[in-house]
Amino acid sequence: MSQQQQPQLASKERSLFTQLVKQYESKQYKKGLKAADQILRKNPTHGDTQAMKALIFNAQGNSDEAFAMCKVALKNAMKSHVCWHVYGLLWKNIKNYEEAIKAYKFALRIEPESQQILRDLALLQMQVRDYQSYIQSRRAILQMRSTVRQNNSASRQNWTALAVAQHLAGDLYDAERTLTTFEETLRSTPSKSDNEHYESVLYKNSIIAETRETERALDHLEAVYKNLLDRTAAMELRAQYLLQLDRREEAEKAYRALLDRNAEYRAYYDGLRQAMGIEKSDVESLKSLYDEYAKKNPRGDTARRVPLDFLQGEEFRTAADHYLQHMLHKGVPSTFANIKALYSDSAKRETIQNLAESYLNNTHAPLMNGASEKKVDGEEKVESQNSQFDVSVLYFLAQHYNYHLSRDLARSMEVIDRAIEARPEDVNFHMTKARIWKHRGNLRKASETMEKARSFDERDRYINSKAAKYQLRNNENAAACENMGKFTKKDTVGGPIGDLIDMQCMWYITEDGEAYLRQGKLGLALKRLTSVNDIFEIWQEDQYDFHSFSMRKGMIRAYVDMIRWEDHLREHPFFSRAAISAVKIYISLFDNPGLKDESALNGMNGSLEGMNSSERKKAQKKARKAQEKQEQAQAEKLDAKKTASVGPDGEPKKEDKDPKGAKLLATTEPLVDAMKFLTPLLEFSPKNREVQQAGFEVFIRRRKYLMALRCLLAARSIDPSHPLNHEQSIRLRHTLKSQSEPLPPKISEILDAEFLPLVTPGADLLKVNSDYLATHNESAAHVQASLRVRQLLDPKSADENQKDIIRTLALPSVSLGDAISGLDLLKDWKAPARLERFGRKAAGFFPGPMAEKSHAEAEEVAKDGLPAPQPKPAGNPVFRMMGLPNLRFKLPSRNWLIFLSVTGSFTTAVLYDRYYKRRAQQRWCNLVCHIAQESLPTTQMPRRITIFLSAPPGDSLRAAREHFHEYVKPVLVAGAMDWDVIEGRREGDVRAGLAEKIRKRRRRDGEKPVKATEGEDSEEKEDLVQQLRDTVGIKDSEGVQGDLVLGRHTWKEYVRGLHEGWLGPLDPPPDPTKEATPPHDTPPSSTEQAPPADSASPTSSETEATGAGVRTPDSKDAADQSEPPKEEKKEEKPKQPVQKPPYIPTSAYPSVQLASSTPELLPPSAVLPFPHLLGFLNTPIRIYRFLNRRHLADDTGREVAALVLANHIRAWDAHTEFVSSANPDSPLGDRSTIVVPIQGRWEQDAVLEEEERDWHKSAWKKYKGEPERILRSQMVIEPRIGERMRRFALGDADREKAEKDDGRDPTAKGLWERIKEMAGWEEDTSVRGWEHGFVGSESE
């Protein structure tokens, strides 16, 4: 009947079968078994019922009976998809996913339309990472569900699951196409609160970004940006995309917006730094950036802490002093933890130590506001307030001297004792003292001190956990378990340990296992370490539920991150630590199987060493009887508590049938069990030296010599100087030599070839070891390794080896760890006399820890209990009687008062300056605003000027643009001015742009060049535009045009450009460099890229015309990258145009003839101040200027108003005496304050000369092979040009009119009026009925 159909059920049995399914789903297993038995009485071969009965058996924990029953069901109903589905569920329950997938696929052959089977198959395929099959299953589910009408949520799950499958399989474009198709099928626009939809949109955007099409990803993000609910993630993605696209100005704004949201996230600062083009070596710019945000966020820590990473020398000392005093005055306990990362730099470590010592000795310089810290509201502060800083310094120094890079344990103990004397009940101080005892090697003292710290705050989980950890380090497992039991469930099976395992508290389980390992209780140690491995297995299995849960909840990005994290789960340090310890235990069991019995004897203070065979048998028999008696007593206790061990769902809790790990310890194949831990270690932690060395020990015992050699080579590549590498190399060569049977020729050939660099096949191993010992005779660890090798090669040298072990204590570099290792080595060699002598001698070097190790057992027996916790001080008795807490009403603390005073004063100064700056600008706008009211004929163009902007030295063009928009543009707009802009992103752009503009004018006036130039086409276009204007009758403005130059650096280029344009030839130099790349030593004058030379010409729009082009980065299509390269000729990259060189040198000015078309008077110019100061040391000056911007606005507005009015124009003076405070002729650009009297200078040469003192040092630095630098050179003025130059000036009448104007806007509304207008509180001015004399009250 195995190939026949199963019998059909009657109506009564069908209803019973339906109840059976419901009872299984509701976990009513007893009722379900009763219903199944009723069906099987009448239909004993009904396979589906037998399969459901097997499911119930499996749910009750009887997997063997479940498999037997399911096989019977398959025999009776081979063609039943229910039986095959159940069979797959049983395999899945025991984690055999391959067999479960086979069963599911067989079930689908029988019932291909079953959605449940298909969904279970898809989840298992995802669990085993079979992405291609997962795609097929998800596509089948989607096609199957497409015939059923679903809501958007259910449909989205299936579409998204398919997209995730394609994404993880690497089909990024298919995944994007799937999500796009689903969005097109939506019948209505999702609501703004539809989190699942917008999470899917963000996931789609991340897929587009992974295709490396950043531009498209940015466009997609900006299209959906306003509706996204995860605004922080969207802002981060946008900033990242802009930075990748090299759109630095927008990226800078994006990162600044992120920092406004969270100024403590360090990655935002890194992104902002890259967006601003600041190199890590540019310390001044970095410091100014972090200072800016430190001022914005005075309570933040990151903006003050990060500069300590890159500052050096005196700057670091100043910043560290400010940071430490700030934190220590506040009493922040984590101050040392914040700065200990700086200790890798010895200079910084020494600086911090000197600062802290000066605080302790009161020889330090207080903070700038330190004088105000002594008084609060005019009264002297109490001594306890002043002592807070001193106690914080003591605590900091104790941690400093306890740190491994600056360790001085005696000094650390002295300082922490002073701190505890000042505050006897401070938990942090006692914890630090416990750490000091630990580093001194006295684990008992460390445990006692940490337990005392715990007694001060028994409700603190952290200090409770630290006390338990220190007790475990001192092998006090019972006391540690008791402490941890104070915060665990009381009714958990297995007590506190059972609850800690359920809660997956891996740190405690690992420490507990290592403590048992040190005590020789290998069974308990293996039990704990295996529990850690089980936790990782649970993590691996738990992801199965998230394959469907994440799709249902729409958490797609988090789900993908979880999948990728699970793929590297075993890289976790907790797993590596526990697995390595477990492998060492199994290696010990393989080397000495008798350790199983010794582990059982540990509880009886017994040992098998020194016993004969009969005594050994008696001891083992006694230990087994005692263990059986203990297990029987424990089983009776568990039986008594079995009724109480019931979970919240009514099911009995699982009990551990091997709490002592006896079954784990009784393994007959320890190396096979070790491979269960070692295999994932070698796969996921190949860069861990301990893993490779443990792998060597396992493989050499399994006689897998190639694998052992592989691990040895890997360990050598990680740490070539580790002493264990030498020992293992000699052992491997010695093992290969002592083989009874020769190895296969191929294996021997490979071993000799790979082993040749380590130890040659015919080498004398004793000589190799002796040479190694002679080379490393100053290191105790290396000496011990070589002695172990000598003991292996020459057992007769045991006596000499033991003496040499004792001699290692006299080495200057010996440490406590080396002494303990030597003690263990003598114990392994079974040399009791030398062991005692070594212990006495080691106690002289390390009195505390070695004496503690020698007398540990005696002191453990004498120890009665834990110190009693001290009672806490009671509160106010009056408040306690009234049932009130101990309330304290007080003024804000000193720190708050200082903070409010400083921030309030600074804010007031900023607001004051901003108010009068606005009034100053309004005064000059009022002076020129009448021009905007004048009517302009339709056939006349408005007055147009030319504006010259260039990047200041050491900064980008953005600074000049912002200065123009803030100070210049308001007055120009008020006067209805039009303008062209010539911008320069690098030095020389303004000069080239102005000179080219003049040359075009000369060509239009009739001068002919010898050769045709590249700009003739553009000139013809400009001439055509002018002809069209003349035809229509549009005329240019008849007023004065004029030029506006921003800053001294731009003025020098402007003057050079005037001379080059009117004195130079129309033809370029005879040998122009058409294709050139910038030299390697290009001065870092700007963070922007170099523009094309032709782009420096003026344009007719303020926003479109710039003096520099933008170089587009080379990009490739992601689809082209995935295809194999074809043998085609590669297209050459477009060559970057370079800046046109000067047409004439300054030395040739007097010898050339002036152009025939040169006007008698050149257009007048206005030179505006542009103070721009960089550098951290200039911070006080910059702050002063920031708070006095009103004066700059007044001076700038005066010059701009003179240009707009154009009522008074004068010539530049040529006979004026000036004084220079800079030395531009210095070869190193020395800008020190050198006063040089200069007579007979042109006024053009001296204007704004004081700005040169503020220029960045890059403007003065010389680079090898660079051309002439305009900024560093002196200004050369040819009299024929200088006499024709003019400047705008403000007339007396206009000046008097401006002085009478107070700068107030008569139409502006006050703050209260604006608030009423925004809130809709305007008064109703309409006349009410009662005001006309109608009867009734106002309310009627």
Side-chain angles (χ1 to χ4, degrees):
M1 184 162 178
S2 61
Q3 300 299 328
Q4 299 178 1
Q5 296 290 338
Q6 60 180 338
Q8 298 292 328
L9 297 178
S11 60
K12 180 179 179 181
E13 281 72 23
R14 284 200 301 269
S15 63
L16 278 175
F17 186 80
T18 303
Q19 292 179 8
L20 170 61
V21 175
K22 293 181 179 179
Q23 288 163 354
Y24 168 74
E25 292 175 350
S26 60
K27 298 183 179 181
Q28 299 178 5
Y29 299 134
K30 292 183 179 180
K31 294 182 179 180
L33 287 177
K34 185 177 181 180
D37 291 337
Q38 291 180 8
I39 298 173
L40 292 176
R41 286 194 192 101
K42 294 186 178 180
N43 300 276
T45 59
H46 191 259
D48 291 354
T49 304
Q50 293 172 333
M52 290 302 303
K53 189 174 181 180
L55 272 183
I56 294 177
F57 284 157
N58 183 69
Q60 291 179 334
N62 302 321
S63 59
D64 295 336
E65 296 180 15
F67 269 99
M69 179 61 68
C70 189
K71 290 178 180 179
V72 173
L74 285 173
K75 181 179 180 182
N76 294 329
M78 182 66 72
K79 295 184 179 180
S80 171
H81 69 279
V82 175
C83 296
W84 283 106
H85 191 191
V86 170
Y87 193 54
L89 291 174
L90 296 180
W91 282 116
K92 183 184 76 68
N93 186 65
I94 62 173
K95 311 303 182 294
N96 193 334
Y97 298 130
E98 288 76 11
E99 292 295 330
I101 290 175
K102 293 179 183 178
Y104 287 157
K105 289 183 177 179
F106 205 97
L108 280 177
R109 293 180 187 175
I110 302 171
E111 186 65 25
E113 301 298 326
S114 175
Q115 298 181 9
Q116 182 64 39
I117 300 175
L118 193 57
R119 183 167 59 251
D120 290 347
L121 174 62
L123 296 181
L124 275 186
Q125 289 168 341
M126 186 62 194
Q127 184 76 2
V128 299
R129 304 297 191 265
D130 186 2
Y131 293 127
Q132 297 301 329
S133 301
Y134 184 54
I135 291 175
Q136 297 176 5
S137 300
R138 277 298 173 185
R139 186 173 285 114
I141 293 175
L142 186 61
Q143 293 173 355
M144 189 182 302
R145 291 295 183 96
S146 62
T147 59
V148 182
R149 187 173 182 180
Q150 298 177 309
N151 55 17
N152 288 344
S153 177
S155 178
R156 182 185 292 115
Q157 296 177 28
N158 298 320
W159 284 94
T160 305
L162 177 58
V164 170
Q166 294 167 336
H167 177 206
L168 295 176
D171 302 332
L172 302 179
Y173 291 101
D174 291 343
E176 180 191 354
R177 194 178 303 111
T178 299
L179 293 174
T180 304
T181 305
F182 168 70
E183 293 174 358
E184 294 173 353
T185 60
L186 294 177
R187 300 179 181 178
S188 59
T189 304
S191 63
K192 293 184 178 180
S193 60
D194 190 350
N195 183 52
E196 297 177 10
H197 172 73
Y198 294 110
E199 183 70 18
S200 176
V201 170
L202 269 179
Y203 174 62
K204 176 183 175 182
N205 184 263
S206 66
I207 293 177
I208 299 175
E210 288 188 23
T211 62
R212 298 184 181 180
E213 298 183 20
T214 311
E215 186 71 37
R216 192 160 62 89
L218 178 60
D219 295 340
H220 174 263
L221 182 65
E222 291 182 342
V224 300
Y225 181 82
K226 62 179 181 180
N227 294 325
L228 295 177
L229 300 179
D230 192 352
R231 187 55 55 87
T232 301
M235 294 174 67
E236 290 176 350
L237 288 174
R238 183 173 179 273
Q240 180 182 354
Y241 296 157
L242 290 171
L243 187 59
Q244 292 175 0
L245 293 172
D246 204 22
R247 293 163 61 174
R248 296 192 172 183
E249 293 186 2
E250 298 177 67
E252 180 182 350
K253 294 180 181 178
Y255 277 111
R256 287 189 182 276
L258 285 169
L259 284 171
D260 291 340
R261 295 170 67 94
N262 182 10
E264 296 299 309
Y265 191 26
R266 197 161 184 170
Y268 293 164
Y269 289 98
D270 293 337
L272 178 60
R273 176 189 61 79
Q274 298 178 29
M276 296 177 66
I278 301 176
E279 298 294 335
K280 292 184 178 180
S281 58
D282 191 354
V283 177
E284 294 184 359
S285 300
L286 284 175
K287 188 64 172 65
S288 62
L289 172 64
Y290 284 104
D291 285 345
E292 174 187 352
Y293 280 94
K295 295 174 183 177
K296 289 184 179 180
N297 187 25
R299 297 186 63 182
D301 180 73
T302 304
R304 297 195 307 272
R305 166 60 185 84
V306 175
L308 299 180
D309 292 337
F310 55 81
L311 291 177
Q312 299 290 337
E314 191 62 30
E315 291 185 348
F316 171 79
R317 181 183 180 87
T318 303
D321 185 19
H322 187 276
Y323 181 81
L324 288 176
Q325 290 199 49
H326 174 77
M327 301 293 281
L328 295 176
H329 274 292
K330 293 174 63 177
V332 179
S334 61
T335 303
F336 180 78
N338 289 349
I339 69 165
K340 66 181 181 181
L342 302 171
Y343 279 38
S344 57
D345 189 336
S346 59
K348 292 184 178 181
R349 181 172 68 245
E350 184 178 357
T351 301
I352 294 173
Q353 177 175 329
N354 293 337
L355 287 173
E357 289 288 355
S358 67
Y359 303 155
L360 186 62
N361 300 328
N362 201 20
T363 59
H364 66 287
L367 295 176
M368 295 178 63
N369 57 351
S372 62
E373 295 176 358
K374 299 180 180 179
K375 293 184 178 182
V376 175
D377 293 340
E379 298 180 1
E380 291 289 336
K381 303 183 79 174
V382 296
E383 184 64 25
S384 60
Q385 292 283 349
N386 291 330
S387 64
Q388 177 180 352
F389 176 76
D390 299 332
V391 174
S392 299
V393 170
L394 290 171
Y395 180 51
F396 178 86
L397 277 174
Q399 297 176 89
H400 167 81
Y401 287 116
N402 188 40
Y403 193 54
H404 68 97
L405 293 177
S406 56
R407 182 155 294 169
D408 185 352
L409 297 179
R411 174 65 172 160
S412 180
M413 184 65 74
E414 175 190 351
V415 173
I416 199 62
D417 285 339
R418 291 175 58 184
I420 293 175
E421 184 180 356
R423 292 184 184 176
E425 296 184 0
D426 194 296
V427 176
N428 293 322
F429 297 170
H430 288 276
M431 289 176 63
T432 301
K433 186 174 183 179
R435 294 190 186 97
I436 298 171
W437 281 120
K438 180 186 72 172
H439 293 151
R440 294 181 65 173
N442 199 330
L443 299 179
R444 184 181 65 84
K445 282 282 190 180
S447 175
E448 293 175 354
T449 307
M450 192 64 76
E451 177 65 20
K452 182 178 181 181
R454 186 198 65 80
S455 65
F456 292 132
D457 192 355
E458 296 183 348
R459 297 183 180 181
D460 191 332
R461 286 176 179 261
Y462 174 75
I463 182 59
N464 185 82
S465 300
K466 293 295 290 185
K469 182 177 180 180
Y470 274 62
Q471 288 167 338
L472 289 176
R473 295 287 177 89
N474 196 37
N475 299 334
E476 304 174 59
N477 300 75
C481 184
E482 181 182 355
N483 272 341
M484 296 299 293
K486 297 174 182 178
F487 292 93
T488 58
K489 294 182 180 179
K490 305 301 181 183
D491 57 346
T492 306
V493 176
I497 289 293
D499 187 58
L500 290 170
I501 293 176
D502 291 342
M503 294 295 102
Q504 301 178 348
C505 185
M506 288 194 294
W507 73 265
Y508 181 86
I509 301 171
T510 305
E511 292 283 354
D512 196 32
E514 292 177 349
Y516 283 127
L517 177 59
R518 289 190 295 269
Q519 299 172 54
K521 299 179 181 179
L522 303 184
L524 286 168
L526 271 180
K527 186 68 177 179
R528 299 293 182 264
L529 299 175
T530 305
S531 299
V532 175
N533 181 61
D534 294 341
I535 291 173
F536 281 89
E537 291 288 347
I538 293 173
W539 288 359
Q540 189 76 27
E541 297 161 8
D542 283 350
Q543 63 175 315
Y544 181 86
D545 298 329
F546 286 91
H547 297 324
S548 57
F549 173 81
S550 299
M551 298 300 147
R552 186 168 65 253
K553 294 298 183 181
M555 300 180 295
I556 314 169
R557 292 181 297 151
Y559 170 71
V560 173
D561 292 340
M562 182 207 71
I563 292 297
R564 291 172 173 171
W565 176 78
E566 289 277 0
D567 292 340
H568 302 276
L569 179 61
R570 300 305 175 100
E571 295 179 3
H572 200 285
F574 271 133
F575 177 78
S576 301
R577 180 179 172 184
I580 291 173
S581 299
V583 170
K584 291 179 179 178
I585 292 176
Y586 282 119
I587 292 174
S588 301
L589 291 176
F590 177 83
D591 294 340
N592 187 9
L595 288 176
K596 304 174 185 177
D597 300 323
E598 288 193 20
S599 178
L601 287 172
N602 279 327
M604 302 163 49
N605 295 328
S607 177
L608 299 180
E609 295 183 6
M611 297 183 180
N612 54 30
S613 59
S614 60
E615 292 176 348
R616 186 186 300 271
K617 290 181 180 179
K618 290 180 181 179
Q620 291 176 354
K621 185 177 180 180
K622 185 177 180 180
R624 281 195 296 267
K625 287 184 178 180
Q627 188 174 1
E628 290 175 0
K629 187 176 181 180
Q630 185 178 1
E631 290 177 356
Q632 184 178 0
Q634 188 173 4
E636 292 176 357
K637 290 182 180 180
L638 292 176
D639 292 338
K641 296 181 180 180
K642 189 170 288 187
T643 55
S645 301
V646 179
D649 53 357
E651 297 183 2
K653 297 181 179 179
K654 294 183 179 180
E655 299 176 2
D656 190 357
K657 298 180 180 180
D658 185 24
K660 300 293 184 180
K663 294 181 179 179
L664 295 173
L665 194 62
T667 177
T668 57
E669 296 180 338
L671 295 182
V672 175
D673 294 336
M675 289 301 299
K676 297 177 183 178
F677 292 90
L678 184 61
T679 301
L681 280 176
L682 293 174
E683 180 181 357
F684 295 104
S685 301
K687 298 297 184 181
N688 190 326
R689 174 186 52 79
E690 293 186 12
V691 170
Q692 298 295 343
Q693 291 173 347
F696 173 87
E697 299 293 344
V698 173
F699 288 128
I700 197 173
R701 287 166 174 80
R702 298 188 67 189
R703 298 183 179 181
K704 305 289 185 181
Y705 300 121
L706 284 179
M707 299 298 295
L709 179 59
R710 180 181 178 182
C711 292
L712 177 59
L713 295 175
R716 278 184 167 271
S717 64
I718 297 170
D719 188 359
S721 62
H722 196 271
L724 190 55
N725 294 334
H726 166 72
E727 178 185 351
Q728 291 182 342
S729 300
I730 301 296
R731 283 174 53 201
L732 179 58
R733 176 56 71 187
H734 179 68
T735 303
L736 294 175
K737 281 185 176 182
S738 59
Q739 288 291 317
S740 58
E741 297 180 0
L743 297 173
K746 291 185 178 180
I747 295 179
S748 298
E749 182 181 354
I750 295 174
L751 285 172
D752 292 339
E754 296 294 335
F755 217 158
L756 189 61
L758 304 180
V759 182
T760 57
D764 185 0
L765 299 183
L766 280 173
K767 186 178 183 304
V768 173
N769 185 60
S770 299
D771 295 341
Y772 182 85
L773 178 59
T775 305
H776 302 86
N777 56 1
E778 296 296 330
S779 172
H782 291 79
V783 170
Q784 291 174 5
S786 62
L787 292 179
R788 282 194 296 266
V789 172
R790 191 165 68 182
Q791 181 76 14
L792 172 67
L793 299 177
D794 185 12
K796 296 180 181 180
S797 62
D799 187 65
E800 184 65 23
N801 295 336
Q802 296 169 12
K803 293 179 181 178
D804 290 342
I805 284 292
I806 298 176
R807 293 191 188 103
T808 58
L809 293 174
L811 294 176
S813 62
V814 68
S815 64
L816 176 61
D818 297 332
I820 295 175
S821 298
L823 200 67
D824 295 337
L825 187 57
L826 289 174
K827 184 178 179 181
D828 293 340
W829 288 346
K830 299 179 181 179
R834 297 284 169 75
L835 182 65
E836 182 181 359
R837 180 182 175 186
F838 184 91
R840 289 197 306 267
K841 189 171 183 179
F845 290 96
F846 310 99
M850 296 307 296
E852 197 67 30
K853 189 172 181 66
S854 303
H855 304 284
E857 295 182 359
E859 294 191 1
E860 181 69 24
V861 174
K863 187 176 180 181
D864 296 330
L866 301 176
Q870 298 182 4
K872 292 185 178 181
N876 192 314
V878 178
F879 288 154
R880 192 167 61 253
M881 291 174 60
M882 297 173 62
L884 298 175
N886 190 10
L887 302 177
R888 295 178 62 191
F889 301 97
K890 60 178 183 178
L891 291 173
S893 65
R894 178 199 65 178
N895 294 338
W896 271 110
L897 290 174
I898 295 173
F899 168 76
L900 294 175
S901 301
V902 173
T903 55
S905 301
F906 189 81
T907 304
T908 303
V910 171
L911 295 177
Y912 176 85
D913 179 73
R914 185 179 300 176
Y915 173 74
Y916 280 99
K917 170 192 167 187
R918 191 180 301 113
R919 288 183 57 177
Q921 286 185 335
Q922 187 63 40
R923 178 168 67 250
W924 299 112
C925 291
N926 295 340
L927 184 63
V928 301
C929 65
H930 67 277
I931 300 177
Q933 306 299 328
E934 299 176 359
S935 60
L936 185 69
T938 57
T939 60
Q940 183 178 345
M941 296 290 291
R943 181 186 170 197
R944 173 173 293 181
I945 63 173
T946 304
I947 297 173
F948 295 87
L949 302 177
S950 66
D955 209 339
S956 64
L957 181 60
R958 177 178 179 178
R961 289 178 176 172
E962 291 178 348
H963 186 85
F964 169 77
H965 283 279
E966 184 175 2
Y967 295 99
V968 182
K969 186 178 178 181
V971 184
L972 294 178
V973 172
M977 298 294 294
D978 195 6
W979 61 83
D980 291 334
V981 181
I982 294 181
E983 292 183 339
R985 296 179 184 270
R986 58 180 178 175
E987 185 177 339
D989 285 345
V990 171
R991 185 269 310 161
L994 177 57
E996 185 63 25
K997 178 182 177 182
I998 296 174
R999 284 193 288 268
K1000 289 180 180 179
R1001 176 178 173 181
R1002 290 170 58 185
R1003 283 192 287 267
R1004 285 197 300 267
D1005 292 344
E1007 294 190 39
K1008 297 294 183 181
V1010 178
K1011 299 179 181 179
T1013 59
E1014 298 177 357
E1016 290 184 355
D1017 293 339
S1018 60
E1019 293 178 19
E1020 292 178 359
K1021 294 179 181 178
E1022 294 178 5
D1023 294 340
L1024 180 60
V1025 172
Q1026 188 62 36
Q1027 291 175 6
L1028 292 175
R1029 289 178 178 174
D1030 295 341
T1031 304
V1032 180
I1034 298 177
K1035 301 179 181 179
D1036 293 335
S1037 175
E1038 298 178 356
V1040 179
Q1041 301 300 319
D1043 299 330
L1044 189 148
V1045 185
L1046 190 62
R1048 169 75 175 181
H1049 60 289
T1050 312
W1051 174 246
K1052 296 184 77 170
E1053 292 194 42
Y1054 174 84
V1055 173
R1056 182 69 66 89
L1058 278 179
H1059 286 74
E1060 180 182 340
W1062 294 113
L1063 295 176
L1066 295 180
D1067 298 314
D1071 52 347
T1073 305
K1074 297 183 179 180
E1075 299 177 2
T1077 57
H1080 295 289
D1081 295 330
T1082 301
S1085 59
S1086 174
T1087 58
E1088 304 285 348
Q1089 291 184 350
D1094 294 352
S1095 65
S1097 59
T1099 63
S1100 60
S1101 172
E1102 173 199 357
T1103 59
E1104 295 179 358
T1106 61
V1110 178
R1111 186 190 306 171
T1112 59
D1114 298 331
S1115 60
K1116 296 182 180 180
D1117 191 3
D1120 296 338
Q1121 292 183 357
S1122 60
E1123 296 178 358
K1126 299 180 180 179
E1127 296 182 358
E1128 295 181 359
K1129 186 177 180 180
K1130 296 183 179 180
E1131 298 181 359
E1132 296 184 357
K1133 297 181 180 179
K1135 297 174 181 177
Q1136 178 190 2
V1138 298
Q1139 185 184 96
K1140 291 183 178 181
Y1143 281 29
I1144 180 175
T1146 56
S1147 59
Y1149 288 173
S1151 60
V1152 297
Q1153 187 176 2
L1154 194 64
S1156 59
S1157 58
T1158 306
E1160 291 296 329
L1161 295 176
L1162 296 177
S1165 57
V1167 189
L1168 305 184
F1170 182 20
H1172 189 71
L1173 185 62
L1174 299 176
F1176 169 73
L1177 297 179
N1178 296 320
T1179 301
I1181 302 176
R1182 296 170 64 186
I1183 294 176
Y1184 175 80
R1185 292 183 179 179
F1186 177 77
L1187 298 178
N1188 291 274
R1189 292 184 297 173
R1190 58 189 182 276
H1191 303 305
L1192 178 61
D1194 189 42
D1195 296 339
T1196 304
R1198 181 183 297 104
E1199 297 293 334
V1200 179
L1203 180 144
V1204 174
L1205 295 173
N1207 293 334
H1208 184 69
I1209 301 173
R1210 69 173 179 84
W1212 292 89
D1213 194 354
H1215 303 285
T1216 308
E1217 294 184 359
F1218 300 97
V1219 176
S1220 174
S1221 60
N1223 186 11
D1225 296 330
S1226 174
L1228 298 179
D1230 184 11
R1231 291 165 293 149
S1232 57
T1233 55
I1234 303 175
V1235 180
V1236 181
I1238 303 175
Q1239 297 182 355
R1241 293 178 61 190
W1242 288 87
E1243 185 183 0
Q1244 296 96 311
D1245 188 13
V1247 66
L1248 298 181
E1249 191 175 22
E1250 65 276 3
E1251 290 187 4
E1252 293 190 9
R1253 294 195 299 268
D1254 296 344
W1255 286 355
H1256 191 262
K1257 60 183 179 181
S1258 60
W1260 306 99
K1261 187 176 180 180
K1262 288 187 177 181
Y1263 295 86
K1264 183 179 180 181
E1266 68 171 354
E1268 180 189 8
R1269 295 280 301 279
I1270 300 176
L1271 299 186
R1272 196 172 61 238
S1273 303
Q1274 290 186 353
M1275 187 179 295
V1276 179
I1277 300 178
E1278 167 63 29
R1280 292 172 292 176
I1281 299 297
E1283 293 172 353
R1284 287 174 166 80
M1285 295 177 64
R1286 297 176 297 163
R1287 69 176 301 178
F1288 292 100
L1290 197 65
D1292 296 336
D1294 296 329
R1295 185 180 296 104
E1296 293 177 0
K1297 182 178 179 180
E1299 291 175 354
K1300 295 179 180 179
D1301 192 354
D1302 60 355
R1304 298 180 184 272
D1305 188 0
T1307 62
K1309 297 181 179 180
L1311 177 61
W1312 179 243
E1313 286 76 7
R1314 292 199 301 271
I1315 293 176
K1316 291 196 298 182
E1317 182 179 354
M1318 293 172 61
W1321 296 343
E1322 293 87 359
E1323 297 181 359
D1324 188 4
T1325 57
S1326 60
V1327 180
R1328 299 170 176 81
W1330 58 271
E1331 294 178 342
H1332 289 285
F1334 297 150
V1335 179
S1337 63
E1338 179 179 356
S1339 60
E1340 296 176 350

